[in-house]
Amino acid sequence: TVKGAITTRWEKSEHGGLALSIHVPANSRATIYFPKLVEGDSTIAESGKLLWPAKPETKIPGVLSVQDGDGFVVCQVGAGDYRFSEIPAKA
């Protein structure tokens, strides 16, 4: 971008879901579509803090909004470094 590089790295997490590391440059925002790959009551965390599903009063630094989309959790974030992970529900 004109503000700097946005970098991402997707990995399979230790829990069997996905993990995403992302860097958003200063004075920028990014919209992230995190796929819901696991059926059931999976959760998504950012740096170990529950992001989705979460109570409306839950605040995670840098996360501007979180919405449930069709097959995705849509997160808008400000500049910074983030580590998202999907944690499948226990069978």
Side-chain angles (χ1 to χ4, degrees):
T1 73
V2 295
K3 305 278 184 173
I6 295 174
T7 58
T8 62
R9 179 183 170 108
W10 288 95
E11 303 172 52
K12 188 169 184 175
S13 76
E14 61 196 46
H15 305 290
L18 284 179
L20 169 66
S21 298
I22 183 168
H23 170 78
V24 180
N27 301 313
S28 299
R29 290 184 179 183
T31 302
I32 303 161
Y33 289 78
F34 200 92
K36 294 187 224 171
L37 297 179
V38 180
E39 291 189 30
D41 297 326
S42 64
T43 61
I44 296 175
E46 195 287 308
S47 297
K49 296 179 183 172
L50 183 63
L51 177 70
W52 179 88
K55 296 178 182 172
E57 64 272 7
T58 301
K59 300 290 183 201
I60 296 175
V63 177
L64 306 173
S65 68
V66 180
Q67 297 177 343
D68 190 2
D70 186 27
F72 295 91
V73 174
V74 183
C75 305
Q76 186 174 35
V77 298
D81 294 302
Y82 302 92
R83 175 81 176 162
F84 296 96
S85 57
E86 178 183 34
I87 302 168
K90 297 192 190 256

